[in-house]
Amino acid sequence: MASSKQFADLLSTKGFNFYAGVPCSLLSGLIRVLEDDAQTSYFPAVREDAAVGLCAGAYLAGKLPVLLMQNSGLGYCLNAFTSLNLIYRIPVLVIMSWRGEGGKDAPEHIIMGEINQKLLQTAGMCHSVLSADNYQEALDAARGKINEGLPYTLLVGKGLFDEGH
Amino acid sequence: MKGTEAFKEIIPLLTDEPVIHANGFICRESFNQKDREGNFYMIGSMGLASSIGLGVAMCRPNQKTIILDGDGNVLMSMGTLAMIASAAPKNLLHIVLDNEVYESTGNQRSLSKSIALDQVAQGAGYPHVKKVTKKEEIKPAFEELMGKSGPSFLLIKVEPAFEKSTGRVTHTPEEITSRFMKALAATDGRSPL
Ligand SMILES: Cc1ncc(C[n+]2csc(CCOP(=O)(O)OP(=O)(O)O)c2C)c(N)n1
Ligand SMILES: [Mg+2]
């Protein structure tokens, strides 16, 4: 539980205060911490693009939102990222599990695992890879972009957050 | 009733509520009839006016939030109706201008001629749902639903009637964001409804 709890606490310290998404087993530990903490609330969206919309509304209403999702949902979100977040300057921190990283995963994840970073880059979405020793720097970089009104994605590989699954 | 007539009924009923508009002619008609700082115009992101409106309503419990949606937009994001019903913000009114077509792209038929969106909303769990077909019915239905503890759903059946010459929203997307946020912040400090 240590790493998820530590990261969730850091998110609160950095001012994030609205959480929504669609689960991934790689994020299960983090989602559990967010759901168990009375201070945070995590809203289960039905699809990733609906979570993007929800987070955008929360931002417009004064919150600092975090979207948790599996990279399988990236395709659903590209239109929202490019025709909403990027052009309206509506930031969101995206915590995206990196399924298929390094070609080692179930077959359905292999292609997206390989093109994940390229897709984000092509869409103009700033991102970096989260690891156990860069929580602070990664979130500072994210806050920097978010302060400019831009979305930021942190990719999360397998084993970083204690997984319930 | 024509879609444009429905706007003529709704707009005078608005005070300082944030109104999230679906993309296409809905934005354009509203903008041209009466631009408001509290109007959020979606120029893209079809289907997301409802989730954006939900986010605003959840985070601004001190005022009513209104979503002005289209049938095609609702059908694209039917799952969001479940999110709204489940989150159950008391301060949300979801209005749908149902012309049974994708009017903005040339009047191609949508599914709402045979799929009753009011029943879909009811089935999803909106506690208050109304359907109107005449313009005289809009004001009383709007006032009744605004007085209820929501989320509420108002289906307005209309005929396609937008003029192709109706101009686009002239504010840039960034301007839409900043004026909308300013309009919301002006209501800070109110107690929840
Ligand atoms: C993802 C996506 N698909 C298609 C479009 C093209 N498009 C723009 S407006 C629109 C119609 C929206 O239909 P509806 O909500 O019924 O509104 P109406 O045009 O009838 O007022 C479509 C299909 C789009 N903008 N985005
Ligand atoms: Mg329509």
Side-chain angles (χ1 to χ4, degrees):
Chain A
M1 191 54 81
S3 58
S4 295
K5 177 82 177 93
Q6 194 194 345
F7 188 70
D9 287 345
L10 206 51
L11 285 171
S12 304
T13 310
K14 300 279 177 198
F16 294 99
N17 53 9
F18 185 91
Y19 300 87
V22 179
C24 171
S25 59
L26 269 57
L27 304 175
S28 57
L30 181 58
I31 294 172
R32 194 169 349 109
V33 170
L34 293 170
E35 284 192 308
D36 288 351
D37 183 348
Q39 296 301 305
T40 55
S41 64
Y42 164 81
F43 190 85
V46 294
R47 230 170 79 141
E48 290 79 0
D49 55 350
V52 177
L54 188 65
C55 286
Y59 174 78
L60 293 170
K63 298 276 185 183
L64 208 50
V66 180
L67 160 58
L68 298 104
M69 61 181 275
Q70 183 171 98
N71 59 353
S72 320
L74 175 55
Y76 294 151
C77 297
L78 281 175
N79 182 42
F81 289 153
T82 55
S83 73
L84 179 64
N85 301 87
L86 289 167
I87 62 167
Y88 283 81
R89 293 257 165 177
I90 295 181
V92 59
L93 174 63
V94 185
I95 312 263
M96 187 183 292
S97 65
W98 191 356
R99 301 300 304 262
E101 182 186 4
K104 297 185 298 287
D105 208 328
E108 69 272 26
H109 295 301
I110 301 304
I111 295 177
M112 181 53 82
E114 196 183 325
I115 64 172
N116 196 348
Q117 287 186 288
K118 276 182 271 186
L119 262 182
L120 285 169
Q121 202 170 350
T122 303
M125 295 280 292
C126 300
H127 73 276
S128 58
V129 180
L130 192 67
S131 61
D133 56 9
N134 75 351
Y135 285 4
Q136 278 285 355
E137 303 150 52
L139 283 179
D140 285 341
R143 272 311 307 250
K145 286 293 167 195
I146 285 166
N147 291 347
E148 289 174 42
L150 293 169
Y152 195 88
T153 302
L154 289 173
L155 288 172
V156 174
K158 202 168 168 50
L160 184 63
F161 296 135
D162 29 277
E163 293 153 25
H165 261 292
Chain B
M1 134 188 56
K2 293 176 174 174
T4 45
E5 291 174 322
F7 280 91
K8 287 205 175 74
E9 297 296 318
I10 296 167
I11 289 171
L13 302 174
L14 302 173
T15 56
D16 62 359
E17 303 86 4
V19 183
I20 319 300
H21 293 67
N23 72 328
F25 275 135
I26 288 176
C27 273
R28 289 163 69 167
E29 185 65 27
S30 187
F31 169 74
N32 282 287
Q33 282 202 21
K34 187 175 192 297
D35 185 26
R36 300 165 70 247
E37 306 243 304
N39 280 357
F40 191 80
Y41 304 108
M42 290 292 323
I43 55 170
S45 290
M46 181 171 165
L48 294 194
S50 48
S51 48
I52 296 170
L54 174 61
V56 172
M58 284 170 75
C59 302
R60 301 291 303 186
N62 60 350
Q63 66 190 141
K64 284 273 179 189
T65 293
I66 295 173
I67 300 164
L68 266 189
D69 224 337
D71 50 304
N73 271 267
V74 170
L75 286 160
M76 185 176 269
S77 291
M78 261 167 59
T80 299
L81 302 181
M83 284 172 42
I84 290 174
S86 168
K90 293 185 183 133
N91 56 330
L92 183 65
L93 172 59
H94 193 170
I95 300 176
V96 179
L97 291 152
D98 181 2
N99 50 17
E100 301 180 357
V101 289
Y102 298 95
E103 190 171 357
S104 304
T105 48
N107 284 3
Q108 302 88 351
R109 80 179 174 97
S110 80
L111 302 181
S112 64
K113 197 179 186 71
S114 53
I115 305 300
L117 295 177
D118 51 335
Q119 287 176 31
V120 175
Q122 190 133 36
Y126 281 62
H128 307 287
V129 175
K130 285 196 90 87
K131 171 184 168 183
V132 300
T133 53
K134 298 189 192 76
K135 64 180 176 191
E136 309 78 61
E137 294 172 327
I138 291 180
K139 185 167 187 266
F142 179 95
E143 284 170 349
E144 181 190 330
L145 291 176
M146 285 293 272
K148 296 265 198 235
S149 183
S152 302
F153 192 89
L154 176 58
L155 183 67
I156 306 178
K157 282 288 198 178
V158 296
E159 292 137 35
F162 293 114
E163 293 289 338
K164 278 210 187 70
S165 59
T166 304
R168 290 182 184 272
V169 175
T170 54
H171 306 297
T172 67
E174 282 184 46
E175 284 163 2
I176 293 169
T177 300
S178 61
R179 65 207 284 271
F180 182 80
M181 289 181 75
K182 220 184 285 164
L184 275 191
T187 67
D188 277 348
R190 280 193 202 166
S191 45
L193 292 176

